[in-house]
């Protein structure tokens, strides 16, 4: 049995006997139609991803399976056994891991301090805005800023030497080395950690602490039994995000180091080498290696992100 109640000329509600839900019809259109119209708004972004990410990425990776004259070959994969390439991969991995860990630890401390500020207060607004800007600051401008800060003869190295007696640039500017990349990488990794981890800190409910206190627990018990387990998926997810961001960074490193040392710069050398002819296609093999690493990281990140969302509901 079906009863139709007309409430206005623009909206009709159909109620089926024995059902607890009313299904709106008329003005809003069918759910299927609304979804199809919604996908049109996603179309520009989809075209952008296809033209500037998906197609170039596939072309770059596919080039590793062909020789300089266009013949299919697997000989390019021998590059992965080269000592220099393996060293570059190792440098990229440890640099990304160390910078991500430093950024994550410092970011957690900043987020913990921000919990004492009002969510809609001035301090929180300033930190959020600054983090959004600094997380995107990179390339030649960031390299120049660090050269002006830690370069040979600059004020900061002079102060460090005066206070500690240690000359960080005794063997040349530390910035022009793989180790020196830690400074700019932590610079944009720290605000990225604040942006990605702060929502998890906001998700900690005061009622959980009150419940622990009611049961006779201390603040330490709360963090060990509630806070840390709840925040762990978000922390490791953010750590993976920081690692992936550092692992794929190119512009700042290219402005500071011209002789390679990490995989993004090794790909550049393979593409622009003027001393070794016919190695451009090996860049596709290196790109494939980076894609494999990034795919593993993104899979882990997605799994941890789903677990985090369950705690934040």
């Amino acid at each position: 049995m079906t009863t139709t109640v007309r409430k206005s000329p623009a909206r009709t509600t159909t109620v089926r006997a024995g059902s607890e839900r009313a299904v709106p019809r008329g003005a809003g259109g069918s759910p299927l139609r609304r979804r199809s119209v919604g996908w049109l708004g996603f179309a520009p972004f989809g075209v952008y991803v296809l033209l500037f990410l998906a197609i170039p990425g596939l072309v770059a990776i596919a080039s590793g399976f062909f020789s300089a004259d266009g013949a299919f070959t697997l000989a390019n994969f021998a590059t992965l056994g080269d000592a220099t390439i393996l060293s570059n991969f190792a440098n990229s991995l440890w640099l990304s891991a160390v910078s991500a860990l430093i950024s994550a630890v410092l970011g957690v401390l900043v987020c913990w301090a921000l919990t004492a500020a009002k969510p809609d207060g001035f301090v929180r607004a300033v930190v959020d805005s600054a983090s959004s800007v600094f997380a995107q600051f990179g390339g030649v401008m960031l390299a120049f800023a660090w050269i002006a800060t830690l370069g040979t003869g600059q004020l900061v190295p002079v102060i460090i030497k005066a206070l500690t007696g240690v000359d960080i640039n005794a063997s040349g500017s530390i910035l022009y080395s793989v180790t020196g990349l830690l400074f700019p990488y932590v610079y944009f990794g720290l605000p990225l950690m604040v942006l990605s981890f702060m929502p998890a800190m906001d998700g900690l409910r005061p009622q959980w602490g009150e419940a622990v206190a009611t049961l006779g627990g201390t603040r330490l018990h709360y963090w060990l039994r509630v806070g840390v387990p709840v925040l762990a998926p978000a922390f490791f997810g953010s750590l993976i995000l920081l690692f992936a961001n550092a692992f794929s960074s190119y512009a700042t490193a290219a402005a500071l180091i011209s002789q390679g040392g990490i995989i993004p710069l090794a790909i550049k050398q393979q593409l622009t080498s003027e001393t070794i002819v016919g190695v451009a296609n090996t860049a596709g093999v290196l790109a494939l290696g980076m894609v494999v690493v990034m795919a593993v990281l993104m899979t882990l990140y997605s799994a941890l992100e789903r677990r985090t969302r369950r705690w934040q509901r």
Side-chain angles (χ1 to χ4, degrees), residues 38-91:
W39 277 104
L40 292 178
F42 181 74
F45 178 73
V47 173
Y48 170 83
V49 171
L50 181 65
L51 294 180
F52 296 99
L53 292 177
I55 294 179
L58 290 175
V59 171
I61 294 173
S63 66
F65 292 89
F66 295 90
S67 62
D69 56 1
F72 179 83
T73 181
L74 297 177
N76 293 331
F77 283 84
T79 305
L80 296 176
D82 184 79
T84 301
I85 297 300
L86 291 176
S87 176
N88 289 339
F89 263 112
N91 288 338

Side-chain angles (χ1 to χ4, degrees), residues 185-269:
Y185 279 26
V186 171
Y187 178 89
F188 56 70
L190 173 57
L192 182 59
M193 180 65 182
V194 174
L195 292 175
S196 61
F197 189 71
M198 196 62 208
M201 292 290 290
D202 289 336
L204 292 177
R205 301 175 183 176
Q207 296 87 341
W208 297 343
E210 295 170 0
V212 172
T214 301
L215 295 174
T218 62
R219 193 68 176 171
L220 179 61
H221 289 142
Y222 166 74
W223 282 109
L224 293 179
R225 302 294 179 86
V226 180
V228 172
V230 170
L231 295 176
F235 175 80
F236 288 110
S238 299
L239 186 65
I240 291 173
L241 181 63
L242 295 176
F243 182 96
N245 185 53
F247 187 74
S248 59
S249 295
Y250 165 76
T252 303
L256 291 173
I257 305 176
S258 60
Q259 300 300 320
I262 58 176
I263 284 299
L265 299 184
I267 293 177
K268 171 195 172 184
Q269 288 182 330

Side-chain angles (χ1 to χ4, degrees), residues 103-115 190 193-194 197 201:
S103 301
V105 172
L106 296 178
V108 167
L109 295 177
V110 173
C111 292
W112 179 69
L114 287 177
T115 56
L190 173 57
M193 180 65 182
V194 174
F197 189 71
M201 292 290 290

Side-chain angles (χ1 to χ4, degrees), residues 156-183:
V156 173
V158 171
I159 294 176
I160 294 176
K161 184 177 181 180
L163 295 177
T164 65
V166 177
D167 185 3
I168 62 175
N169 292 324
S171 301
S173 180
I174 191 174
L175 285 173
Y176 304 133
S177 64
V178 175
T179 303
L181 292 177
L182 284 173
F183 294 102

